[in-house]
Amino acid sequence: RTVEMLRDLHLNPHAPTPCEGAVNQCMGQVVSRVIRQIGSAAAATGVNIRWYDRSGEDAQVDCMGTELRQVVSNLVLNGMDAMPNGGTMDISTKRDDGCFVLTVTDNGKGMTPAEAGRCFDPLFSTKQVGAGYGGCGIGLTIVKQIVCDHGGSIHVESERGAGTTMRVELPCAKDADATHSNGKAPECRGLRILVVDDQPMVLRTVGSVLSSLGHSPILYEDPEEACRYFARGPADVDLAIVDLGMTPINGLQLAERLRSLRKELPVII
């Protein structure tokens, strides 16, 4: 999917395309879910996330929930990476002339004008490889593609040493009042994924990628602790992703234990 999106940047970069299976998404719910998923990681790195303006949180956008969460997650994670020693991130959700406007501002290291001008280019990154949650240079490229596919726009304001502001504008859904009989817009639920790897950096990276895709990762470094967690509620996990080379039990042994508790559980090693 990533390869297809990067390829489309060159074939047809600005033409909005309908999102198959899209339904009206309440942006307040999307932003709130991302903050809940990332909040503990932000607190651990000393980043304080403030959602200071919620005046547009009831706005609805016609798009798949997973794609919207990917947009918000990438912007928040990028802001966290820009503040390795901690800091403050301000999030704003507003309405403006028929559009939903999301701004994410960090007080991190910022970018030079040249870097800001290239930040949406495929494979361009100001991060060191393996640092923080990224460094491969495709996160903002995908964000821009998703936003443009839905008739929106994204802009960056940054100054070296003074932080960065990302501003996303998306048209509000025209049929926002046409909701299900319960009065709420439907939202696709991501998977609850048990991830087990005894290398903390790998574990955090996999967890952040899954979160950006709209899933709910459950992270464990110790395979035996992961097994005990799973035993308390086998039905609460949709998928397991486990590393092969672990101690005191390896990935194959862990998979066997998990499958003994719930034989239909999908396991990726």
Side-chain angles (χ1 to χ4, degrees), residues 41 47 52 108 114 123 127-128 161 186 188 197 207 269:
V47 174
Y52 71 95
L123 306 181
K127 307 172 190 176
Q128 295 181 353
C188 297
D197 195 304
I269 301 177

Side-chain angles (χ1 to χ4, degrees), residues 212-242:
S212 74
L213 295 174
H215 302 298
S216 299
I218 305 156
L219 309 180
Y220 278 92
E221 293 181 29
D222 188 322
E224 291 190 329
E225 287 186 6
C227 194
R228 287 193 288 270
Y229 167 84
F230 183 76
R232 292 195 294 269
D236 294 336
V237 175
D238 300 309
L239 169 69
I241 301 176
V242 304

Side-chain angles (χ1 to χ4, degrees), residues 30-256:
V30 173
V31 174
S32 177
R33 179 171 181 174
V34 170
I35 292 176
R36 287 199 307 271
Q37 291 177 332
I38 298 178
S40 58
T45 57
V47 174
N48 178 32
I49 299 178
R50 302 186 304 188
W51 187 1
Y52 71 95
D53 188 335
R54 303 190 179 197
S55 59
E57 67 176 337
D58 61 340
Q60 294 187 19
V61 173
D62 189 17
C63 181
M64 292 293 288
T66 52
E67 292 193 333
L68 290 174
R69 287 192 290 273
Q70 191 170 1
V71 168
V72 179
S73 295
N74 269 289
L75 296 182
V76 172
L77 290 172
N78 275 359
M80 288 173 55
D81 281 343
M83 299 182 287
N85 298 318
T88 300
M89 180 181 301
D90 288 329
I91 297 176
S92 168
T93 51
K94 300 180 180 180
R95 288 177 181 262
D96 184 13
D97 194 23
C99 287
F100 168 77
V101 181
L102 166 72
T103 60
V104 178
T105 301
D106 66 70
N107 62 353
K109 61 183 181 181
M111 294 181 284
T112 66
E115 290 171 338
R118 295 190 60 197
C119 68
F120 299 111
D121 291 352
L123 306 181
F124 175 79
S125 176
T126 60
K127 307 172 190 176
Q128 295 181 353
V129 176
Y133 293 90
C136 58
I138 62 173
L140 287 179
T141 304
I142 293 175
V143 166
K144 184 175 182 179
Q145 183 67 39
I146 292 173
V147 171
C148 290
D149 278 351
H150 294 84
S153 62
I154 181 168
H155 307 279
V156 57
E157 295 180 5
S158 188
E159 181 180 347
R160 194 67 175 173
T164 299
T165 295
M166 290 286 182
R167 177 185 173 95
V168 173
E169 297 184 15
L170 287 165
C172 293
K174 295 181 180 180
D175 57 344
D177 294 329
T179 58
H180 279 211
S181 58
N182 62 5
K184 296 182 180 180
E187 182 176 359
C188 297
R189 181 183 69 81
L191 298 177
R192 296 162 296 185
I193 304 176
L194 177 64
V195 184
V196 189
D197 195 304
D198 57 1
Q199 298 185 47
M201 181 177 293
V202 174
L203 189 66
R204 290 195 300 269
T205 300
V206 173
S208 67
V209 170
L210 292 175
S211 293
S212 74
L213 295 174
H215 302 298
S216 299
I218 305 156
L219 309 180
Y220 278 92
E221 293 181 29
D222 188 322
E224 291 190 329
E225 287 186 6
C227 194
R228 287 193 288 270
Y229 167 84
F230 183 76
R232 292 195 294 269
D236 294 336
V237 175
D238 300 309
L239 169 69
I241 301 176
V242 304
D243 182 34
L244 177 59
M246 297 185 293
T247 58
I249 59 175
N250 62 37
L252 291 174
Q253 293 170 321
L254 175 59
E256 184 177 355

